[in-house]
Amino acid sequence: MAKGITTRAEDYSRWYLDVIQAADLAEHSSVKGCMVIKPNGYALWENIQGQLDKMFKETGHVNAYFPMLIPESFLKKEAEHVEGFAPECAVVTQGGGKRLEEALVIRPTSETIIWSTYKKWIQSYRDLPILINQWANVVRWEMRTRLFLRTTEFLWQEGHTAHASNEEAQRETMQMIDVYRRFAEEYLAAPVYVGYKTEREKFAGAVRTYCIEAMMQDRKALQAGTSHHLGQNFAKAFDVTFQDENGKLDYVWATSWGVSTRLIGALIMVHSDDNGLVIPPRLAPIEVVVIPIWKNDAEIEGMRRRIAELTEAWKGRLRFKVDDRDQFRPGYKFNEWEKRGVPIRIEIGPRELENNQVVLVRRDTGEKMLLPQDGLLDKIKELLEQIQSDLFNKAKSFRDANTMPEDDYEQFKKKIEEPGGFFRVHWCGSAECENQFQETSKATIRLIPIDGEKEQGRCLVCGKPSEQRVLVAKSY
RNA sequence: CGGGGCGUAGCGCAGUCCGGUUAGCGCGCCUGCUUUGGGAGCAGGAAGUCCAGAGUUCAAAUCUCUGCGCCCCGACCA
């Protein structure tokens, strides 16, 4: 087993932290709950950003930037919003050595500062829609933090759109949750369930919150992205109105949607193993590492030359690295790149050089193969796609095998503890029964499926009629 | 906020109970030589306000008091 990594079976939570350390992704800073994202971790974020940003632009959005400091009074304008966020806000009360007239909140999310601005931008239906995204940091003073999953300060993107009609805002909300689903499945290789939150779990200030939920290897759920239909709540709070084609005045309709560096936590917990990180190829900063093996100085020169020839055609078509550091032996390098999750490793030694071959090793399965150097690039390309889909399918099989219907409350309470998983249960829709789930099992209703089949049943808790199953699980 | 743990070299720790030479070990780091197909070996070397403040004492990493910080487990949450 890998040195320094606790196994998943031994202690899942320590394993998670060990993987982050072994892959050199991040470390705690000197301020409680804050982290330094190191180059290896940040490279993952950059790839996540790059792809998402592309998808946002393809759906008509543009980027902008709003400030981090928000007048405290802004936050208080939307009743539900302030109730939800006030307890976890960091507040600046001094500046320039003087006490401020009005305290400034460090944004926990930007709805208020953005809608106070949109008020100035919107008069007519011709000013709509506004489709803006911003990449930013936010601060939420959480009681309990975990690297990537929940840090005091975190990086994210938040989309904030303004529309002339409820229907259009609804379409936008659905479009973006689908963008998140596609990103999670096609890039993160993490299958997700799509649905909407209960009243209790929804975003403070939203009419409805849609979400994607992924299953981690310990069978717990992780909310991986949310898209909120905000109705006219913020427009009313900030008095943002527009005139329609008929000259009639109405409040603007809004959405907001976001994903954060938490996605890196999801990537780790969905795919990695007891040897360290496993990165899905499409998000891998380095897709292929080439490790030359030599016995003496005479050999290394020929080796370098041959590798340069071989990789010449890879430039611009493959993210690769040649690790010809002399201070480490091959075994050390194999291990290091495994811990760091690089999808494919290629070894070239005197034997391969002579036979015009390479040894190729898959990170996800450990499978070793001897391949001809001719046509290697195409073979690598093909394998990367194979690994990408294998990772997805593996995660999906695991999730599906651990998602089950349950109609017996006593059984449910047992199973949620051991072995755990996602449970599809009937629920009457009452807050009382929802609270019961949490109090007796520490599980929550993760989502109400969007396309859930209608099915007559009885609420798991109270036995009243229910028309649809909801997804219940313990979560991060 | 409750429970647990910790603060000594870059990292991980021992030493603290029972005060006493120059504060030690492993990893890492630097130099040299030998090595290089799954975490190399030998030799030499550099590196410390022992979390902070106050107190007790001839003498404090060690005892007393006060403070600060971090991590892990729960309640709040992306």
Side-chain angles (χ1 to χ4, degrees), chain A residues 71-170:
Chain A
E72 201 175 26
S73 57
F74 281 20
L75 211 74
K76 294 180 174 162
K77 290 196 178 184
E78 213 287 333
E80 260 184 46
H81 194 66
V82 62
E83 197 187 320
F85 282 103
E88 55 188 58
C89 282
V91 183
V92 179
T93 56
Q94 285 212 339
K98 283 189 288 192
R99 188 164 186 90
L100 300 173
E101 292 262 322
E102 178 178 359
L104 301 173
V105 171
I106 299 177
R107 63 181 165 215
T109 178
S110 300
E111 275 78 6
T112 58
I113 184 77
I114 287 179
W115 278 87
S116 71
T117 309
Y118 282 180
K119 177 178 169 57
K120 294 186 260 181
W121 294 357
I122 300 168
Q123 279 89 39
S124 150
Y125 72 95
R126 296 184 207 276
D127 297 324
L128 297 171
I130 294 178
L131 304 171
I132 282 180
N133 173 65
Q134 85 165 344
W135 292 95
N137 57 342
V138 287
V139 168
R140 296 183 188 176
W141 219 263
E142 304 284 358
M143 297 169 188
R144 173 96 165 76
T145 55
R146 273 168 183 279
L147 288 178
F148 289 114
L149 297 178
R150 186 174 302 101
T151 46
T152 301
E153 177 191 6
F154 58 94
L155 305 183
W156 76 346
Q157 63 61 220
E158 44 181 332
H160 293 274
T161 67
H163 306 269
S165 73
N166 187 9
E167 296 69 36
E168 192 183 303
Q170 176 66 21

Side-chain angles (χ1 to χ4, degrees), chain A residues 1-22 272-276:
Chain A
M1 242 354 59
K3 274 191 234 166
I5 301 181
T6 309
T7 63
R8 286 164 290 184
E10 218 178 311
D11 184 341
Y12 190 82
S13 156
R14 262 188 63 194
W15 165 81
Y16 174 74
L17 293 166
D18 286 349
V19 170
I20 290 171
Q21 194 184 10
S272 299
D273 61 24
D274 292 343
N275 293 321

Side-chain angles (χ1 to χ4, degrees), chain A residues 237-258:
Chain A
F238 287 89
D239 192 31
V240 187
T241 56
F242 73 104
Q243 268 188 312
D244 67 17
E245 300 93 318
N246 306 314
K248 197 170 133 281
L249 214 55
D250 195 10
Y251 288 108
V252 177
W253 300 83
T255 84
S256 72
W257 27 274

Side-chain angles (χ1 to χ4, degrees), chain A residues 343-473:
Chain A
I344 288 179
R345 175 176 86 234
I346 285 175
E347 306 167 16
I348 303 184
R351 284 202 299 272
E352 288 75 33
L353 206 58
E354 188 161 328
N355 302 325
N356 211 38
Q357 290 177 318
V358 300
V359 172
L360 184 150
V361 185
R362 281 176 64 155
R363 171 63 183 88
D364 61 330
T365 59
E367 186 189 348
K368 270 191 186 188
M369 44 196 114
L370 201 56
L371 297 171
Q373 289 178 18
D374 300 327
L376 188 57
L377 176 60
D378 290 339
K379 183 64 189 172
I380 290 171
K381 284 283 190 195
E382 185 189 314
L383 264 171
L384 287 170
E385 279 308 302
Q386 187 66 47
I387 292 169
Q388 182 78 28
S389 69
D390 284 358
L391 285 175
F392 176 80
N393 289 330
K394 188 177 166 201
K396 187 164 188 302
S397 304
F398 178 80
R399 183 199 67 171
D400 291 349
N402 288 287
T403 302
M404 54 217 111
E406 182 57 61
D407 293 317
D408 182 291
Y409 198 23
E410 293 309 312
Q411 282 295 314
F412 165 80
K413 281 190 270 191
K414 264 185 225 154
K415 288 181 185 169
I416 197 94
E417 287 307 318
E418 187 62 38
F422 288 5
F423 295 86
R424 297 175 54 247
V425 307
H426 276 288
W427 171 55
C428 64
S430 76
E432 290 74 34
C433 291
E434 185 177 10
N435 289 336
Q436 273 292 311
F437 283 127
Q438 174 146 35
E439 278 162 30
T440 58
S441 64
K442 284 177 190 161
T444 48
I445 298 177
R446 301 313 305 160
L447 57 78
I448 301 162
I450 291 180
D451 46 8
E453 298 159 36
K454 296 292 171 211
E455 176 193 299
Q456 295 303 317
R458 298 190 167 280
C459 176
L460 191 65
V461 179
C462 70
K464 285 185 190 148
S466 149
E467 300 199 327
Q468 188 184 358
R469 289 179 184 270
V470 297
L471 199 67
V472 177

Side-chain angles (χ1 to χ4, degrees), chain A residues 316-353:
Chain A
R317 301 183 62 190
L318 206 59
R319 298 185 294 275
F320 70 97
K321 181 176 178 67
V322 178
D323 185 1
D324 59 358
R325 290 175 298 174
D326 197 19
Q327 70 266 40
F328 299 115
R329 298 161 87 222
Y332 179 92
K333 295 180 188 175
F334 296 167
N335 216 275
E336 179 177 358
W337 294 107
E338 246 160 50
K339 287 190 299 189
R340 290 178 52 173
V342 173
I344 288 179
R345 175 176 86 234
I346 285 175
E347 306 167 16
I348 303 184
R351 284 202 299 272
E352 288 75 33
L353 206 58

